[in-house]
Amino acid sequence: MSLKHGLLGMLSLEPMTGYDINKEFRETMQYIWQTKYSQIYNELDRMEQKGWLTSERIIQEEKPNKRIYAITENGKTELLDWLSKPEDDVKIALTQKNAFLLRVFLAWNTNKEAALKLLHSFREVCLARIAEQDDVRQAIARDESDYDRKVTLCWHLVTLHGDLILQSRLDWVEKAIEIINEEFE
Amino acid sequence: MSLKHGLLGMLSLEPMTGYDINKEFRETMQYIWQTKYSQIYNELDRMEQKGWLTSERIIQEEKPNKRIYAITENGKTELLDWLSKPEDDVKIALTQKNAFLLRVFLAWNTNKEAALKLLHSFREVCLARIAEQDDVRQAIARDESDYDRKVTLCWHLVTLHGDLILQSRLDWVEKAIEIINEEFE
DNA sequence: TTAATCATGTAACACGTTACATGATTGC
DNA sequence: GCAATCATGTAACGTGTTACATGATTAA
């Protein structure tokens, strides 16, 4: 629902191309918000029509031409307006659709071997993601000289959330493997 | 993506109406998969056309008429097939879109007061959800006499996941409140 | 020589939400 | 008297994904 506001947020840092925004998203918050170019470009277009953004086309020689978007006063107003009404999103954060857990939920249809395989592969993925957390932290640290301290402080909070959640997913899956080993079938 | 398979999973327990499925979903896994009647009825229709389900219309007097769906052999095959290929979902489980965290990420646009308000309201919601976990456990326990032990064991695993995740979200938010108090602005 | 980076866009499709429509029975 | 439960469905809309199209430069 709020790709719009994610885009406004990035552009409130500085004017950028759609490509730049996607890159910044990918480096700093790929695990909480995923975007595709096709969606970003469409959305930027619609936002410009609403008067939240302006764009300037830059002709380049050695590289493809590009379009730099900048946030307008209307856009800033919209962003602050949205930030002032977080109620729904605060509630929704705890009810996230999770296809993996649906599989655990339905695992009684399979056998012990399949259930354990599911859990072990989740464990592997957790470990791989935990190892990536430092990359995210480094990507944020690289921005520390460009942006206000408040900016990267907020970003680090999100990363800290990732750390704790990943650890508890790992704790869970190890416990779950034990339980399935002892009690399934 | 997998409402289809959630529906097949429920119907592999016993034939039910769309209304029954929604109720069971709501009681036992509302926090990992949300459904609307409108979507369920449409999906059941399409699944019947694919030959995964059959339905029987029951005329009732004191209550509205209803339609009971039952899984077919084709449907069971489809479910087992899907359960045998969990790869993508295992990976996707760790990259969930989270509008609340997007707000934290963008909170530098606001002030200390607004940031703290956001975090405190999240804390409240966490506490409220933690208090509801026992209701979920009881709803599952009520099914223990009807269904095979394997079924409710899997369901309890999902609830255990909820317990651990909720606790770590709470730990995070309390830490985040401290950090914002000390370091924001 | 192969992949990654830079850079934007369209079209079709899949999935999910909201609003609308109906209406009797039962418990507080 | 009001809300919840039982029970199914359609239409419009909003959001997100996949596939297609193009193509030069640079680093391994």
Side-chain angles (χ1 to χ4, degrees):
Chain A
M1 177 57 223
S2 296
L3 174 60
K4 288 178 190 44
H5 301 102
L7 296 171
L8 287 175
M10 282 297 143
L11 292 172
S12 76
L13 289 172
E14 57 184 329
M16 287 186 236
T17 66
Y19 188 86
D20 292 335
I21 297 174
N22 195 59
K23 197 180 162 196
E24 193 75 52
F25 272 172
R26 202 184 45 212
E27 285 175 0
T28 59
M29 58 168 209
Q30 61 178 309
Y31 303 114
I32 62 155
W33 207 273
Q34 301 80 44
T35 51
K36 309 263 168 182
Y37 287 124
S38 56
Q39 206 194 348
I40 285 184
Y41 291 125
N42 274 324
E43 198 64 53
L44 287 172
D45 231 41
R46 262 176 267 146
M47 290 163 74
E48 192 176 7
Q49 280 164 41
K50 281 188 188 169
W52 296 355
L53 308 176
T54 55
S55 75
E56 189 195 357
R57 188 168 266 289
I58 309 287
I59 310 297
Q60 298 187 111
E61 279 180 15
E62 311 268 296
K63 294 177 183 175
N65 296 336
K66 62 184 181 180
R67 182 188 292 271
I68 295 182
Y69 286 91
I71 192 167
T72 61
E73 281 308 310
N74 274 345
K76 280 182 200 165
T77 306
E78 171 61 31
L79 177 60
L80 291 175
D81 221 65
W82 178 77
L83 282 170
S84 73
K85 293 172 196 133
E87 298 76 19
D88 290 348
D89 289 337
V90 167
K91 281 177 198 152
I92 289 166
L94 300 181
T95 55
Q96 302 232 309
K97 197 175 298 192
N98 189 320
F100 164 70
L101 288 176
L102 178 64
R103 285 176 183 277
V104 175
F105 193 90
L106 298 178
W108 84 80
N109 288 285
T110 65
N111 54 31
K112 189 172 196 160
E113 196 199 334
L116 285 173
K117 202 181 145 208
L118 177 69
L119 295 172
H120 278 291
S121 66
F122 184 66
R123 185 170 175 277
E124 293 305 309
V125 172
C126 284
L127 290 170
R129 266 287 285 114
I130 287 170
E132 282 167 26
Q133 283 293 90
D134 272 344
D135 298 343
V136 177
R137 244 182 284 275
Q138 278 168 35
I140 296 172
R142 260 180 265 129
D143 285 329
E144 262 156 18
S145 48
D146 298 326
Y147 303 136
D148 192 293
R149 212 178 154 272
K150 284 166 75 176
V151 175
T152 48
L153 178 64
C154 290
W155 297 5
H156 279 304
L157 282 186
V158 173
T159 310
L160 178 64
H161 181 271
D163 293 338
L164 297 186
I165 291 296
L166 285 167
Q167 185 57 49
S168 81
R169 294 213 206 260
L170 186 62
D171 292 346
W172 169 78
V173 76
E174 295 186 338
K175 184 85 190 158
I177 287 169
E178 268 179 49
I179 293 174
I180 291 288
N181 256 322
E182 283 163 25
E183 300 184 40
F184 196 78
E185 266 170 351
Chain B
M1 179 58 224
S2 297
L3 174 61
K4 289 177 188 45
H5 302 102
L7 296 170
L8 286 175
M10 282 297 143
L11 293 172
S12 78
L13 288 172
E14 57 184 328
M16 287 187 234
T17 66
Y19 188 87
D20 292 334
I21 296 175
N22 195 59
K23 197 179 162 195
E24 193 76 51
F25 271 173
R26 203 183 43 213
E27 284 174 0
T28 58
M29 58 169 209
Q30 62 177 308
Y31 302 114
I32 60 154
W33 208 272
Q34 302 79 45
T35 52
K36 308 264 168 183
Y37 288 124
S38 55
Q39 205 193 348
I40 287 183
Y41 290 127
N42 273 324
E43 198 63 55
L44 287 171
D45 230 42
R46 262 175 268 147
M47 290 164 73
E48 191 176 9
Q49 279 164 41
K50 281 188 187 168
W52 296 354
L53 309 176
T54 54
S55 76
E56 188 195 356
R57 188 168 267 287
I58 309 288
I59 310 296
Q60 298 187 115
E61 278 179 16
E62 311 270 294
K63 293 179 184 177
N65 297 336
K66 63 184 180 180
R67 182 188 292 272
I68 295 181
Y69 286 91
I71 193 167
T72 62
E73 282 308 312
N74 274 346
K76 280 181 201 166
T77 306
E78 171 61 31
L79 177 60
L80 292 176
D81 223 63
W82 178 77
L83 282 169
S84 73
K85 293 172 195 136
E87 297 76 19
D88 289 347
D89 289 338
V90 166
K91 281 176 196 153
I92 287 167
L94 299 181
T95 55
Q96 301 233 307
K97 197 174 297 191
N98 188 322
F100 165 72
L101 288 176
L102 177 64
R103 286 176 182 277
V104 175
F105 193 89
L106 298 177
W108 83 81
N109 288 286
T110 66
N111 54 32
K112 190 172 196 160
E113 197 199 331
L116 284 173
K117 202 181 144 205
L118 178 68
L119 294 172
H120 278 290
S121 68
F122 184 66
R123 184 169 176 277
E124 293 306 307
V125 173
C126 284
L127 290 170
R129 266 286 285 114
I130 288 171
E132 282 167 27
Q133 283 292 90
D134 272 343
D135 298 343
V136 177
R137 244 182 284 274
Q138 277 168 36
I140 296 172
R142 258 180 268 128
D143 285 329
E144 261 156 18
S145 50
D146 297 326
Y147 303 135
D148 192 293
R149 214 182 152 269
K150 284 166 74 176
V151 175
T152 49
L153 177 64
C154 291
W155 297 6
H156 279 304
L157 281 186
V158 173
T159 310
L160 179 64
H161 180 272
D163 293 339
L164 297 186
I165 291 295
L166 286 167
Q167 185 57 49
S168 80
R169 293 212 206 261
L170 186 63
D171 292 345
W172 169 79
V173 77
E174 294 186 338
K175 185 84 190 158
I177 288 169
E178 267 178 50
I179 293 174
I180 291 287
N181 256 321
E182 284 163 26
E183 301 184 38
F184 196 79
E185 270 169 349

